[in-house]
Amino acid sequence: MSKDRLLWLVLIALGVGLGVFVVHLALSDPGAVSDGDGGRSLVHNVALLAILVASAVLFRRLKPGHILKRLTIWVAIGAVLVLAYSFRHDASDLANRLMAEVMPSRGMVMDGEVSFREHRGGHFIIDADVDGVTVQFLVDTGASDVTLAPRDARRLGFDLDRLTYDRTYRTANGIVKGAPVRLHSLKVGHIVLSDVKASVNSVDMNRSLLGMSFLSRLSSFEVADGTLTLRP
């Protein structure tokens, strides 16, 4: 048997195998063959590929060896793309883990939960989106409300001179006054709460505090093994 004839048989076998694979998909899982949204189906794409290969053979008179070589390259590229698509979620989880280690305050979203690694000093620092502005909070379960540092309140558009500081809070540094305000939205990871009670502290603070007016509205939160986990 000549070399060209053997290569032609290999190409025919590949074509038959591909056809059997497509038929099997169509019978076992129609959704894998067609996207169901008016998009091109797998059968359509395979037919297009077959036409292109046939055209190359007829009009360019490629030798079977050249066809097999180029077909192998395209099959390898397709396999790599399929594998990359299949592991896209694992890659996303790995990226989230790396970001959580490098920037603990951004947290890691997984299985509907948001978790944060313990910061230096045993505290938990969280980056949150407050009305479209990123604010860094220190988690404080002893604070009844979300407490904004004056500089963060200014960034959020509050006029500190027009606020009424009529709330009294007992803190580790003594008694301080706060002005009640409302936050339209407070987002941590994928957790979004609207109309959150807060107050603006009358004196400067190192960081704003994420208190119970946010935490108590979650389904649960816990600290274990140096990790804070928030559940919506």
Side-chain angles (χ1 to χ4, degrees):
M1 182 181 293
S2 66
K3 183 178 180 181
D4 284 351
R5 181 175 297 180
L6 178 61
L7 290 175
W8 277 117
L9 289 176
V10 171
L11 288 173
I12 293 172
L14 288 175
V16 172
L18 185 60
V20 172
F21 174 69
V22 171
V23 172
H24 174 71
L25 279 180
L27 295 176
S28 62
D29 185 8
V33 177
S34 176
D35 57 17
D37 294 322
R40 293 181 177 179
S41 66
L42 179 59
V43 173
H44 178 280
N45 292 331
V46 171
L48 181 60
L49 177 62
I51 292 172
L52 292 175
V53 173
S55 299
V57 174
L58 292 175
F59 294 103
R60 297 186 61 183
R61 300 183 180 278
L62 295 177
K63 294 182 178 180
H66 292 165
I67 297 173
L68 187 60
K69 180 179 179 180
R70 296 180 183 185
L71 185 60
T72 302
I73 293 174
W74 281 109
V75 169
I77 293 174
V80 171
L81 292 176
V82 169
L83 285 174
Y85 183 77
S86 300
F87 288 99
R88 67 192 185 281
H89 297 301
D90 294 329
S92 177
D93 290 342
L94 178 60
N96 286 334
R97 289 180 181 275
L98 290 175
M99 288 300 296
E101 292 297 329
V102 175
M103 303 178 66
S105 59
R106 296 188 59 176
M108 180 176 64
V109 178
M110 184 173 291
D111 298 329
E113 304 175 344
V114 187
S115 59
F116 297 86
R117 296 293 298 171
E118 191 177 60
H119 200 264
R120 293 185 300 272
H123 301 297
F124 292 98
I125 307 298
I126 288 179
D127 287 340
D129 183 293
V130 182
D131 296 338
V133 177
T134 300
V135 177
Q136 193 168 82
F137 288 95
L138 170 68
V139 177
D140 186 357
T141 57
S144 56
D145 292 334
V146 172
T147 304
L148 297 174
R151 65 176 179 278
D152 288 333
R154 290 192 190 93
R155 293 172 56 228
L156 291 170
F158 291 107
D159 187 343
L160 304 190
D161 295 331
R162 294 193 173 188
L163 298 178
T164 302
Y165 298 87
D166 58 359
R167 287 190 178 178
T168 302
Y169 296 97
R170 296 182 182 276
T171 70
N173 296 322
I175 297 176
V176 298
K177 291 289 186 177
V181 295
R182 289 274 179 171
L183 306 178
H184 295 296
S185 69
L186 200 162
K187 179 181 179 182
V188 176
H190 69 293
I191 301 174
V192 183
L193 299 183
S194 58
D195 193 26
V196 178
K197 289 172 54 180
S199 66
V200 178
N201 210 38
S202 59
V203 297
D204 198 15
M205 305 166 59
N206 291 330
R207 283 191 181 90
S208 296
L209 304 178
L210 193 66
M212 294 304 295
S213 61
F214 174 83
L215 298 173
S216 64
R217 292 176 58 181
L218 304 176
S219 62
S220 66
F221 65 92
E222 67 175 352
V223 176
D225 298 326
T227 300
L228 169 68
T229 303
L230 308 179
R231 302 182 180 92

